[in-house]
Amino acid sequence: MIYESLAIITPIRDTPKNYLFDCINSIAALSEHLSIVVEWILVIDGDERPIEDWVYAATSKMNLNYKILRTTEHIGLGAARNMAVESTNASYLTWLDADDLYNTHEAVLFFERGIPLLQCQNDICLIFSDNSETDCNLSLKHIRNKSFFNNLHNKYRGSHIDPIFYVDFIYQAQIIRRDIFLQIGGFTADGIGEDVELVLKLATQYTDKIFYHLPYIAYIYRQNLNGIVNTRYAELRSVNSKDYYEYSTKAGVYEAGEVTFEVLYLNRSEERRVGKECRSRWSPYH
């Protein structure tokens, strides 16, 4: 039986303790104000620290529904998230990294509006919000308003200048139905661009469905100099840049991991304008 509930999935490995506590507090505040049942799933990914004890202490006075899973060795972000999905019967899924947190008021609005949209509109495969970015002390750096991206995606969807193909990690926060997540095979378990490939899978396997943007600043992306974006994803940045220019030179069929997608050649000057705008506004690497 699948229950109408939301699973918030958080893998953790080497995240500072105080970052995790901020993350937990934001989940508890969100859960208190949502009308849908919330289950928080923490996956300890080969981290040998006593994280269970930290969570027990942090939540002792909270009314927070959660479970903790632990792996004996490091399996990676994608595999850890897949493991959490397998452990839940929640109808809807969302991802929150252990070094990030929710902007409570905006996140409540996002989930309270987004989940009913997924319930009643079969043409939506993923709903995403705006987000803020802060330094490690939670001082605001800037806001990522994604209406610009959403408009470009709707205009150029299915072409090689669809921003989906070269703008990374823009989907926090997001909501996806569990059944759709399972149908596309979940996250790639052994990749370094799990979030990017999930979006490519959705875009290529569900051509009759759309991504839907809700303009709430629901997610706070917190700078973590030791986090995965600043370490392992350095390789992905260089590969994405090279591959994008390769894709843009001619029409054809290309593969990105396990995903195959068709590239349609459009006007080069328009491509350059769109690419420059997207990179300057949305890429966390520029």
Side-chain angles (χ1 to χ4, degrees):
M1 180 176 180
I2 296 179
Y3 301 96
E4 291 292 298
S5 58
L6 171 70
I8 301 174
I9 294 172
T10 304
I12 184 170
R13 178 178 171 83
D14 300 329
T15 301
K17 182 178 180 180
N18 62 310
Y19 282 29
L20 175 62
F21 283 5
D22 289 339
C23 176
I24 293 172
N25 287 333
S26 79
I27 295 170
L30 174 68
S31 176
E32 182 179 350
H33 291 92
L34 286 184
S35 57
I36 195 169
V37 173
V38 173
E39 178 186 33
W40 177 47
I41 306 174
L42 180 68
V43 184
I44 304 173
D45 182 15
D47 191 321
E48 297 181 355
R49 297 175 298 171
I51 294 174
E52 292 93 342
D53 295 341
W54 299 353
V55 174
Y56 297 151
T59 60
S60 61
K61 297 182 180 180
M62 295 178 180
N63 184 24
L64 180 61
N65 176 32
Y66 70 91
K67 71 173 65 169
I68 299 176
L69 309 176
R70 176 181 280 276
T71 67
T72 56
E73 58 184 23
H74 178 45
I75 61 174
L77 182 65
R81 287 174 173 173
N82 289 342
M83 178 179 175
V85 173
E86 292 172 0
S87 76
T88 183
N89 288 320
S91 306
Y92 306 97
L93 309 172
T94 192
W95 329 107
L96 177 66
D97 293 342
D99 49 7
D100 297 335
L101 57 156
Y102 288 121
N103 180 16
T104 303
H105 177 68
E106 297 277 300
V108 169
L109 295 174
F110 170 67
F111 287 108
E112 287 289 292
R113 185 178 173 195
I115 290 174
L117 281 172
L118 284 176
Q119 289 173 330
C120 66
Q121 292 191 215
N122 291 328
D123 61 336
I124 299 174
C125 65
L126 181 141
I127 294 179
F128 65 100
S129 75
D130 297 331
N131 70 276
S132 63
E133 295 194 18
T134 75
D135 64 16
C136 58
N137 296 314
L138 294 179
S139 296
L140 180 65
K141 296 173 65 177
H142 58 268
I143 302 294
R144 291 190 181 274
N145 181 319
K146 298 167 190 164
S147 60
F148 175 83
F149 164 84
N150 192 58
N151 293 337
L152 281 179
H153 170 59
N154 290 334
K155 181 176 181 179
Y156 295 108
R157 187 178 181 193
S159 77
H160 74 292
I161 57 175
D162 186 333
I164 281 176
F165 294 131
Y166 53 92
V167 180
D168 305 330
F169 312 113
I170 64 161
Y171 286 97
Q172 295 97 342
Q174 63 178 247
I175 318 169
I176 183 172
R177 290 202 338 243
R178 183 175 181 269
D179 58 344
I180 287 182
F181 178 84
L182 294 175
Q183 287 168 18
I184 64 173
F187 287 102
T188 300
D190 56 355
I192 62 168
E194 301 90 349
D195 297 279
V196 177
E197 189 163 19
L198 181 71
V199 172
L200 286 173
K201 286 181 178 181
L202 289 170
T204 54
Q205 295 185 34
Y206 286 94
T207 56
D208 60 331
K209 297 184 185 296
I210 62 172
F211 299 146
Y212 195 96
H213 171 239
L214 289 176
Y216 300 110
I217 307 169
Y219 193 102
I220 300 173
Y221 175 87
R222 185 181 198 172
Q223 184 180 42
N224 180 359
L225 296 179
N226 295 317
I228 191 170
V229 168
N230 292 294
T231 53
R232 289 181 64 213
Y233 282 144
E235 177 185 346
L236 178 63
R237 295 173 221 172
S238 61
V239 171
N240 272 5
S241 177
K242 173 181 177 295
D243 287 350
Y244 171 71
Y245 288 108
E246 177 184 339
Y247 297 154
S248 69
T249 58
K250 60 182 180 180
V253 177
Y254 297 90
E255 292 186 357
E258 298 177 352
V259 178
T260 301
F261 59 93
E262 184 177 3
V263 171
L264 306 175
Y265 181 78
L266 295 184
N267 181 275
R268 179 58 63 84
S269 62
E270 182 75 354
E271 168 205 328
R272 288 173 178 165
R273 183 188 68 78
V274 173
K276 182 178 179 181
E277 282 288 323
C278 282
R279 285 189 172 86
S280 64
R281 295 197 186 204
W282 302 129
S283 177
Y285 309 135
H286 294 80

